Amino acid sequence: MKLIKQLYSSQTIKRKAPVNLKQGDSNFFGGEPFEYTLPASSFNYIGKASVTSQGIIMKHFLPLKRFIVCYDIDFKHYFFRYILHVLSKYKRHKPGGKQKYLIIFDNYSGPKGFYHWISDGLTRLVEMNEQLNEFVVLIPEYFKHEQLYMDTLALFNIKQIYYIPEKTYVKIDHLYVMDFIAPTGNFNPHNFLKLQKLVWDAYNLKKSEANEYIYISREKASRRFVLNEPEVIWLLQSYDFKIVCLEDYKFEEQVKLIFKTKYLVSIHGAALTHISFMQKGSKVLEFKRLNDSSNFVYFSLADVAGVDYYYQFCDVKEKSKNANNFDLTVNIEELDATIKLMLTTR
C-alpha cells in the first residue's frame, strides 16, 4: 500500500457534556473530561486487490482490516468463514482497462446503514470531491434501489460509477481508498464542516433562524420503536411539536426540514444522523436504551455540529441479541421535565 497524501494529522478533541448530564452518567458518554484522540487519516493506493459487494477489500485473499468498520467488535469473529464464502459462492468480475478505481463504501454502509453511509462514507467522499472525475467510483448495486443513497451521490462530482452486483467481487488493478476520517462514531471538526457546507450549498441553505419543533417517529421503520409513542406524541404536541416520518420525504426535503429545526426529538437511530444538517445552537433530545455506554454517536455528532445535546434513558424490551434491536418505553413525567428544560435553557 502506498501513501498518496495525508488527509488529517492526529488530534485530540474535547466535547461539551450533555446539557442535562446527571451525576454518575459521564461514563455513558465516554467519560470525563469527554476527550477523544482522532488518529491520522490518509489517501492510499492499494494497487491490485478485490472488492466485495459488502465493501470488503481483499489483498492476496485476506481482508484489509484497516478499512473494515468495527473489525474487532464484529468482523474478526467470522473472518475465515467470510473468505471461504466469498471464494466459493461469489461471482468474480474484472473490469477492463487501466482506469483508477476508488472505493467509497464499507461493510456498514447499507442497505439499512444510512448513518454509516453519511458519517463514514460521505465524510471521506467530500475530501476527494475535486478529484472524483479522475476515478471510476465503486458502489454496491443495491444503492440503485435506495433513493436516499442516490440523492447523496448526486451532490458530488462523480463522473463514472461501477456498480458491484450482489454476491460478487471485482478484481481491480488500480484501487485507491481513503482511511476513515475518524473511527466510526467520531468526527473530525474540519471535515464535518466541509461536508455540512457542501450539503447546505447544494440546497441553497443560508444561515437563518431555526424555529421548527420536530419529533421523528419510527412508526414506518422495520424495528426499534417507542412502545408508548401515543403518549409521547400527546405530550410533545402539547408543546407544539410536529410529528414526522422521514420516509415521507426526499433527502433534499429532509435536509431542508431539519435545517429549520430548533428542537429535535427522536429515538436512537439513523434519523438522528440529520443532526449533521442542524444549525449551530439548536437542540436535540435522544431516547436511549437504559445504561447504554457504547452507543453515544449522536452525542458526538451533536457536539461537532454545535447542537446542544440532551438524553433520556428508557426501559428496554430486547428483540434480539443485536445491540440495536430493541424497543423503548419513555417515562412521560421525565420527558415533560426534559422538554421544559430544553425550551427554557439558552
Side-chain angles (χ1 to χ4, degrees):
M1 183 161 53
K2 179 182 177 182
L3 172 68
I4 302 299
K5 68 175 180 179
Q6 182 167 294
L7 299 174
Y8 291 99
S9 302
S10 176
Q11 62 176 292
T12 299
I13 59 174
K14 182 173 175 59
R15 299 175 178 133
K16 184 174 68 173
V19 178
N20 64 331
L21 183 69
K22 298 177 177 62
Q23 186 174 3
D25 281 359
S26 295
N27 288 335
F28 297 122
F29 301 97
E32 295 187 57
F34 304 112
E35 288 185 350
Y36 184 80
T37 300
L38 300 173
S41 57
S42 58
F43 179 53
N44 312 280
Y45 175 64
I46 302 292
K48 291 186 176 181
S50 297
V51 178
T52 73
S53 51
Q54 291 81 34
I56 302 297
I57 302 172
M58 300 177 69
K59 184 85 169 175
H60 306 303
F61 301 108
L62 292 176
L64 300 183
K65 66 179 183 179
R66 176 173 171 176
F67 306 106
I68 298 175
V69 178
C70 295
Y71 175 86
D72 290 325
I73 297 174
D74 186 348
F75 192 82
K76 72 177 182 180
H77 299 298
Y78 59 94
F79 182 98
F80 292 109
R81 280 183 292 155
Y82 184 78
I83 297 172
L84 290 173
H85 185 70
V86 168
L87 296 180
S88 62
K89 302 292 185 181
Y90 279 35
K91 296 178 181 178
R92 185 181 75 167
H93 289 184
K94 191 174 191 325
K98 297 182 179 180
Q99 295 166 297
K100 299 189 295 185
Y101 287 81
L102 175 69
I103 177 172
I104 61 169
F105 72 106
D106 56 66
N107 54 306
Y108 270 40
S109 289
K112 300 298 182 183
F114 190 66
Y115 160 78
H116 291 279
W117 170 238
I118 296 289
S119 299
D120 300 328
L122 300 192
T123 48
R124 288 184 286 170
L125 196 54
V126 71
E127 295 295 338
M128 291 294 296
N129 198 33
E130 299 304 318
Q131 294 82 41
L132 283 176
N133 58 353
E134 302 173 15
F135 297 89
V136 178
V137 173
L138 294 170
I139 65 172
E141 193 168 56
Y142 63 74
F143 272 31
K144 287 183 178 181
H145 311 296
E146 297 281 346
Q147 191 59 48
L148 287 179
Y149 288 75
M150 299 307 293
D151 289 346
T152 57
L153 285 172
L155 298 169
F156 295 89
N157 187 32
I158 297 173
K159 300 301 181 184
Q160 300 181 76
I161 292 176
Y162 185 95
Y163 294 98
I164 305 177
E166 186 179 358
K167 296 185 178 179
T168 299
Y169 69 94
V170 293
K171 292 184 68 66
I172 304 296
D173 287 335
H174 300 285
L175 181 67
Y176 293 77
V177 64
M178 285 167 280
D179 287 318
F180 297 107
I181 304 302
T184 192
N186 299 278
F187 302 88
N188 178 297
H190 181 79
N191 166 260
F192 170 84
L193 292 175
K194 187 183 294 188
L195 176 60
Q196 185 185 71
K197 183 178 186 303
L198 181 142
V199 176
W200 284 0
D201 287 350
Y203 297 141
N204 196 31
L205 298 173
K206 308 297 182 183
K207 290 185 179 180
S208 60
E209 183 178 356
N211 51 26
E212 294 281 356
Y213 294 48
I214 298 295
Y215 170 69
I216 301 176
S217 170
R218 288 182 61 88
E219 177 187 357
K220 297 182 180 181
S222 60
R223 65 188 180 109
R224 202 181 316 124
F225 303 107
V226 174
L227 295 175
N228 61 334
E229 188 166 69
E231 296 174 66
V232 170
I233 288 175
W234 180 86
L235 175 68
L236 292 176
Q237 286 180 328
S238 73
Y239 286 102
D240 296 324
F241 275 78
K242 178 181 178 181
I243 315 304
V244 302
C245 293
L246 290 183
E247 293 88 345
D248 297 333
Y249 298 80
K250 296 178 181 178
F251 180 70
E252 180 177 353
E253 295 170 335
Q254 293 177 7
V255 171
K256 289 180 175 179
L257 173 65
I258 297 302
F259 180 79
K260 296 185 297 182
T261 298
K262 177 67 174 179
Y263 300 98
L264 179 66
V265 178
S266 192
I267 183 176
H268 176 89
L272 287 177
T273 306
H274 289 74
I275 293 170
S276 300
F277 313 119
M278 297 180 76
Q279 297 185 63
K280 187 175 182 180
S282 301
K283 302 173 186 292
V284 62
L285 167 60
E286 177 185 11
F287 298 147
K288 293 173 60 67
R289 59 184 291 162
L290 188 64
N291 296 331
D292 184 353
S293 60
S294 59
N295 290 309
F296 50 89
V297 297
Y298 299 115
F299 161 65
S300 303
L301 181 55
D303 180 78
V304 77
V307 172
D308 292 338
Y309 176 85
Y310 297 74
Y311 68 99
Q312 183 170 333
F313 285 128
C314 304
D315 290 333
V316 177
K317 180 179 180 182
E318 297 285 356
K319 304 294 287 187
S320 75
K321 292 183 179 180
N322 183 305
N324 285 318
N325 194 3
F326 54 82
D327 297 331
L328 297 179
T329 299
V330 177
N331 183 297
I332 299 300
E333 289 185 4
E334 184 179 349
L335 174 60
D336 189 33
T338 304
I339 294 297
K340 284 186 172 71
L341 180 64
M342 287 180 69
L343 298 179
T344 56
T345 302
R346 293 192 176 186

